[in-house]
């Protein structure tokens, strides 16, 4: 199991790194498109209809591409107030495992929903850009699949920590766990 966890850790680090880079490029492109839009609208008194639609699609892609990295680092919403008093104990570890299994199941379901959305979007086009909406929706299964890989890594880490706590500690925490530990120190 440690080998699989290490393999997933390396894979997830690379995929989240590249997804983050693409998302950052989309942010820069979105900024450029909006600057052109504002210049044309207010300086020249003319407006493009496609700039707002394109910016909206780039923002959606950007958000979904950052999602796997946030999950890998454990930056999603959590209710630590309720679990802080028994953090690190065996029941807490079991709760973390069960929650992550539920998250993984939900992500797998979301992959299917994303694929369904692509199928439905193949028959419609965006209003201003005229592109098939399926192209906009491709980010859904991609993002959910990358996040599911991060979730699988977290499930395996949590299960290994329950079975072999000392070996799991020597394996090292995930990148997000070490970031959290450094922030708390």
């Amino acid at each position: 199991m440690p080998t699989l966890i290490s393999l997933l850790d390396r894979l997830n680090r690379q995929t989240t790194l590249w997804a983050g880079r693409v998302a950052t490029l989309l942010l820069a492109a979105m900024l450029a498109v909006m600057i052109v839009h504002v210049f044309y609208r207010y300086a020249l008194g003319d407006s493009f209809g496609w700039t707002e639609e394109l910016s909206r699609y780039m923002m959606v892609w950007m958000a979904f591409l950052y999602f796997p990295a946030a999950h890998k680092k454990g930056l999603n919403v959590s209710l630590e107030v309720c679990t802080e008093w028994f953090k690190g104990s065996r029941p807490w570890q079991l709760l973390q495992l069960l929650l992550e299994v539920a998250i993984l199941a939900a992500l797998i379901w979301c992959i299917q929903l994303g694929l369904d959305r692509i199928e439905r979007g193949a028959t419609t086009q965006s209003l201003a850009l005229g592109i098939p909406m399926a192209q906009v929706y491709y980010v859904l299964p991609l993002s959910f699949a990358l996040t599911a890989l991060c979730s699988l890594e977290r499930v395996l880490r949590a299960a290994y920590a329950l079975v072999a706590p000392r070996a799991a500690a020597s394996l090292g925490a995930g990148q997000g766990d070490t970031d959290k530990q450094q922030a708390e120190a």
Side-chain angles (χ1 to χ4, degrees):
M1 190 184 291
T3 306
L4 182 57
I5 293 171
S6 295
L7 178 68
L8 275 172
D9 181 47
R10 284 194 306 268
L11 175 68
N12 289 334
R13 285 177 192 246
Q14 287 302 311
T15 57
T16 57
L17 174 72
W18 283 102
R21 287 179 177 171
V22 170
T24 302
L25 289 173
L26 284 170
L27 177 64
M30 185 175 70
L31 177 65
V33 167
M34 290 313 297
I35 287 172
V36 167
H37 176 75
V38 168
F39 176 76
Y40 269 82
R41 173 174 277 177
Y42 295 108
L44 302 178
D46 196 10
S47 179
F48 299 120
W50 59 267
T51 55
E52 291 179 29
E53 187 174 287
L54 180 60
S55 294
R56 185 172 46 251
Y57 296 154
M58 285 191 285
M59 183 173 59
V60 168
W61 268 72
M62 180 186 62
F64 275 97
L65 287 176
Y66 277 131
F67 183 53
H71 188 69
K72 176 155 178 53
K73 293 182 178 182
L75 298 175
N76 8 6
V77 176
S78 63
L79 296 173
E80 291 180 1
V81 172
C82 300
T83 62
E84 191 65 35
W85 61 275
F86 71 107
K87 188 174 186 173
S89 67
R90 301 281 287 171
W92 182 84
Q93 290 174 326
L94 182 61
L95 177 63
Q96 296 305 305
L97 175 61
L98 293 174
L99 288 172
E100 199 61 50
V101 167
I103 290 169
L104 181 58
L107 288 167
I108 291 169
W109 180 59
C110 287
I111 292 169
Q112 182 58 48
L113 290 176
L115 292 172
D116 292 345
R117 177 61 61 184
I118 289 171
E119 188 177 319
R120 283 193 303 256
T123 59
T124 59
Q125 291 187 341
S126 68
L127 294 175
L129 294 173
I131 60 172
M133 288 303 292
Q135 291 179 4
V136 177
Y137 298 138
Y138 284 139
V139 74
L140 297 173
L142 172 66
S143 173
F144 291 131
L146 293 177
T147 308
L149 283 173
C150 293
S151 183
L152 178 60
E153 177 190 344
R154 292 172 65 91
V155 165
L156 293 176
R157 282 185 188 278
Y160 192 53
L162 276 172
V163 174
R166 291 188 183 182
S170 68
L171 178 63
Q175 182 63 35
D177 296 334
T178 55
D179 290 346
K180 276 187 171 180
Q181 289 169 356
Q182 289 173 356
E184 290 173 359

